[in-house]
């Protein structure tokens, strides 16, 4: 059997008339009955674009020149925006980005749930669209041909790392240190054996966690420590799995010492977390999101409140400050421990944390048998379709659903509506400016009829 020939792509750019946007932020054009997905193009634009991939039903292209620009086009604030896959909407104005995300949520509600909220609420927006990202995983690669180390995000639609020396969306404590980080890694004996760098920032401390594939020499450890000292960073190593992460600078007095923190001043809370814990990447939007969720639930003293997928207590503890009896439930036992730590730290005794399998029916658990007046749910991208089928058993009058995936929110909203709840209001939250990521929040109320 002869091997299938690779299709020869056009060498010259082709003219594209952009009609609309796909959900991943690419311009959509059509030519000779075939769909074209064009990176870096906006609706209403005419661009010259290079074909980078061709399939039977569609082509993928990259904008080379904008012949007629849309009013929503802006100059990307980052010089690496055209190539780096960390962001994909920097060429679009902030207002247009919000409108795109709102439209994405609307379309998913219509398509997956066949429903629409009674009220669309104003989006939560960042005061600053740059320097907001407090958590990220940076790839590291030694390029032998260039004898250099690259650190950053993958290029758009391929596995190569982007050649950057700074990042405009990362917290400046990290984003402005990419070049010195690259130089330091190049000087290590293990220059080709550092697989990645996890970064995490609290209000007062920024951390780099180096995934070292081999034991490091004493000299390399000293260089990492010196880097931390010079740039006011805490330095951690991860020689194997996540449970091997440990701090080498400043010297650690034990696991309990290896904590970062952020404040929720509205609720007089200090939230502590380990660098590898899940936390929201955008501190400003997180504060606004917690405020909105607590406001919508409107917890009254004496009410029982359930917080599902509670993590370290980001919503649980603010809800407890409002006087209810709050139960936080999480599938990750490590986060259950973290929630308890934070409750104790903040002097809260009206909150309990429990571990449970959140993929099936947990209504028979001891903590669930008394039912709940209000529920908050903040699931992963896969959503909570099974859980939504059981929520009616608790008799909650009001449910707030925080989502990082509009498709699964819309699907789960359909389940909720079929089980006697009304979708009262919904809207987007710009947790990740300059990206197509859509974070949203929805309020459901039990149908009194």
């Amino acid at each position: 059997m002869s091997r299938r020939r690779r299709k020869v792509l056009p060498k010259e750019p082709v003219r594209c008339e952009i009609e609309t946007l796909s959900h991943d932020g690419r311009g959509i054009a059509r030519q000779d009955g075939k769909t074209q997905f064009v990176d870096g193009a906006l609706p209403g634009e005419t661009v010259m674009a290079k074909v980078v991939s061709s399939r039977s039903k569609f082509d993928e292209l990259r904008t080379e020149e904008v012949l007629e620009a849309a009013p929503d086009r802006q100059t990307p604030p980052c010089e690496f925006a055209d190539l780096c896959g960390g962001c994909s909407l920097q060429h679009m104005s902030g207002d247009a980005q919000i409108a795109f995300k709102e439209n994405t949520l609307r379309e998913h509600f219509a398509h997956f749930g066949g429903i629409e909220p009674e009220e669309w609420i104003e989006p939560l927006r960042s005061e600053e669209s740059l320097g907001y990202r407090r958590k990220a995983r940076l790839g590291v690669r030694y390029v032998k041909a260039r004898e250099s180390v690259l650190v950053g995000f993958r290029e758009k639609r391929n596995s190569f790392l982007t050649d950057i020396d700074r990042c405009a969306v990362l917290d400046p404590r990290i984003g402005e240190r990419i070049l010195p980080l690259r130089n330091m890694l190049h000087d290590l004996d293990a220059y080709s054996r550092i697989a990645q760098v996890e970064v995490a920032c609290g209000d007062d401390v920024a951390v780099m966690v180096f995934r070292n594939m081999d034991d490091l020499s004493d000299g390399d450890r000293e260089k990492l420590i010196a880097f931390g000292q010079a740039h006011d960073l805490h330095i951690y190593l991860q020689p194997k799995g996540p449970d091997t992460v440990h701090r080498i600078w400043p010297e650690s007095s034990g696991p309990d010492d290896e904590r970062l923190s952020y404040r929720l001043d509205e609720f007089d809370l200090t939230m502590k977390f380990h660098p590898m814990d899940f936390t929201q990447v955008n501190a400003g939007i997180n504060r606004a999101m917690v405020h909105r969720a607590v406001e919508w639930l409107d917890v009254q003293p004496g009410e029982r409140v359930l917080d599902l997928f509670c993590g370290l207590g980001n919503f649980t503890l603010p809800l407890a400050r409002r006087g209810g009896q709050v139960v936080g439930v999480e599938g990750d036992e490590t986060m259950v421990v973290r929630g308890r730590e934070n409750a104790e730290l903040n002097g809260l005794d009206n909150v309990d944390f429990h571990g449970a399998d959140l993929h099936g029916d947990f209504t028979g658990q001891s903590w669930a048998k008394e039912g709940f007046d209000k529920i908050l749910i903040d699931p992963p991208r896969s959503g909570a379709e099974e859980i939504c089928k059981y929520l009616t058993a608790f008799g909650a009058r009001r449910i707030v659903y925080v989502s990082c995936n509009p498709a699964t929110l819309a699907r789960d909203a359909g389940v909720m509506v079929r089980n006697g709840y009304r979708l009262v209001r919904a809207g987007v939250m710009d947790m990740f400016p300059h990206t197509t990521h859509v974070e949203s929040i929805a309020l459901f109320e039990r149908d009194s009829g």
Side-chain angles (χ1 to χ4, degrees):
M1 181 184 291
S2 62
R3 293 182 65 184
R4 193 174 167 186
R5 272 192 177 178
R6 213 170 180 185
K7 191 168 184 178
V8 178
L9 302 178
K11 292 183 179 180
E12 297 300 319
V14 299
R15 184 183 179 96
C16 300
E17 307 282 345
I18 309 302
E19 301 173 5
T20 186
L21 283 182
S22 66
H23 285 157
D24 64 0
R26 290 184 290 177
I28 298 177
R30 290 175 177 83
Q31 192 169 73
D32 300 328
K34 195 174 186 181
T35 301
Q36 299 170 314
F37 294 101
V38 188
D39 263 325
L42 298 176
E45 292 189 330
T46 302
V47 304
M48 298 299 293
K50 185 177 179 60
V51 179
V52 296
S53 173
S54 183
R55 310 284 179 86
S56 61
K57 294 184 178 180
F58 65 90
D59 291 336
E60 296 181 304
L61 303 91
R62 182 180 63 247
T63 299
E64 299 276 301
E65 180 184 2
V66 179
L67 301 179
E68 295 180 27
D72 293 329
R73 178 170 287 276
Q74 68 174 12
T75 300
C78 173
E79 62 198 284
F80 308 107
D82 289 343
L83 187 61
C84 180
C87 302
S88 56
L89 296 181
Q90 286 200 16
H91 60 293
M92 183 188 292
S93 71
D95 288 344
Q97 289 183 34
I98 292 292
F100 163 73
K101 294 178 182 185
E102 288 186 310
N103 188 60
T104 298
L105 182 59
R106 288 174 186 271
E107 289 184 352
H108 278 99
F109 272 134
H111 179 72
F112 289 98
I115 53 177
E116 183 172 345
E118 297 171 11
E119 177 188 4
W120 288 101
I121 50 96
E122 285 295 312
L124 293 180
R125 301 185 62 166
S126 295
E127 294 181 8
E128 178 53 66
S129 65
L130 300 176
Y132 69 85
R133 186 164 182 172
R134 287 189 168 195
K135 293 211 75 175
R137 175 177 294 172
L138 302 175
V140 179
R141 184 169 297 170
Y142 175 70
V143 183
K144 187 174 182 180
R146 296 171 42 179
E147 294 187 349
S148 64
V149 173
L150 300 183
V151 178
F153 300 104
R154 288 190 177 96
E155 293 181 359
K156 291 178 180 177
R157 308 192 194 288
N158 69 50
S159 61
F160 298 117
L161 287 186
T162 314
D163 187 1
I164 63 173
D165 53 30
R166 59 182 293 275
C167 176
V169 298
L170 285 176
D171 185 300
R173 292 171 288 179
I174 302 296
E176 295 298 330
R177 288 168 169 77
I178 301 296
L179 182 57
L181 173 62
R182 288 175 54 179
N183 293 337
M184 183 274 295
L185 289 171
H186 183 267
D187 289 341
L188 297 180
D189 297 330
Y191 60 86
S192 64
R193 301 294 290 166
I194 302 294
Q196 65 192 32
V197 181
E198 298 265 0
V199 298
C201 302
D203 288 347
D204 303 316
V205 173
V207 164
M208 288 188 179
V209 182
F210 294 85
R211 174 69 178 94
N212 53 307
M213 299 169 69
D214 303 314
D215 291 336
L216 298 181
S217 66
D218 290 341
D220 280 357
R221 290 175 65 91
E222 289 304 315
K223 288 174 182 175
L224 286 167
I225 290 171
F227 180 79
Q229 292 172 328
H231 296 285
D232 196 23
L233 297 167
H234 287 197
I235 304 298
Y236 289 66
L237 295 180
Q238 183 188 341
K240 293 182 181 177
D243 59 335
T244 66
V245 172
H246 63 284
R247 195 173 76 197
I248 63 171
W249 174 258
E251 187 174 342
S252 175
S253 62
D256 292 341
D257 178 45
E258 297 178 356
R259 297 287 187 271
L260 293 78
S261 68
Y262 63 90
R263 285 283 300 170
L264 295 173
D265 286 331
E266 178 183 355
F267 303 95
D268 189 25
L269 293 170
T270 296
M271 309 297 293
K272 289 194 173 183
F273 63 98
H274 186 274
M276 303 300 283
D277 289 344
F278 171 81
T279 55
Q280 299 292 349
V281 303
N282 190 321
I285 289 294
N286 183 58
R287 289 190 293 270
M289 175 177 70
V290 171
H291 170 87
R292 177 164 285 178
V294 172
E295 180 182 54
W296 283 9
L297 276 183
D298 189 27
V299 175
Q300 301 299 311
E303 289 186 327
R304 281 176 55 81
V305 185
L306 175 64
D307 181 10
L308 293 170
F309 303 95
C310 66
L312 53 77
N314 187 56
F315 293 105
T316 327
L317 302 192
L319 289 167
R321 279 282 195 242
R322 291 295 181 258
Q325 183 63 40
V326 187
V327 175
V329 184
E330 173 60 53
D332 183 343
E333 286 292 341
T334 298
M335 299 305 279
V336 173
V337 172
R338 203 77 72 240
R340 291 170 179 163
E341 289 176 356
N342 280 313
E344 182 178 0
L345 173 69
N346 289 281
L348 287 165
D349 59 7
N350 59 327
V351 57
D352 294 308
F353 288 89
H354 299 276
D357 178 4
L358 294 178
H359 298 287
D361 185 359
F362 49 79
T363 55
Q365 297 289 330
S366 58
W367 47 262
K369 290 183 177 178
E370 293 181 39
F372 296 94
D373 301 290
K374 311 281 176 65
I375 296 174
L376 187 140
I377 180 169
D378 182 15
R381 287 190 60 80
S382 56
E385 185 176 18
E386 287 301 311
I387 287 177
C388 289
K389 297 175 182 177
Y390 303 121
L391 292 185
T392 52
F394 295 126
R397 298 187 304 278
R398 187 172 290 185
I399 297 174
V400 168
Y401 189 129
V402 176
S403 168
C404 59
N405 184 345
T408 53
L409 168 60
R411 178 201 66 199
D412 295 349
V415 175
M416 303 270 282
V417 169
R418 289 192 294 274
N419 281 278
Y421 283 87
R422 295 163 33 237
L423 176 53
V424 177
R425 61 178 75 119
V428 300
M429 304 178 291
D430 200 17
M431 186 70 74
F432 290 82
H434 304 302
T435 77
T436 59
H437 182 99
V438 180
E439 196 95 6
S440 51
I441 185 169
L443 171 65
F444 298 85
E445 291 184 355
R446 196 167 191 179
D447 192 339
S448 58

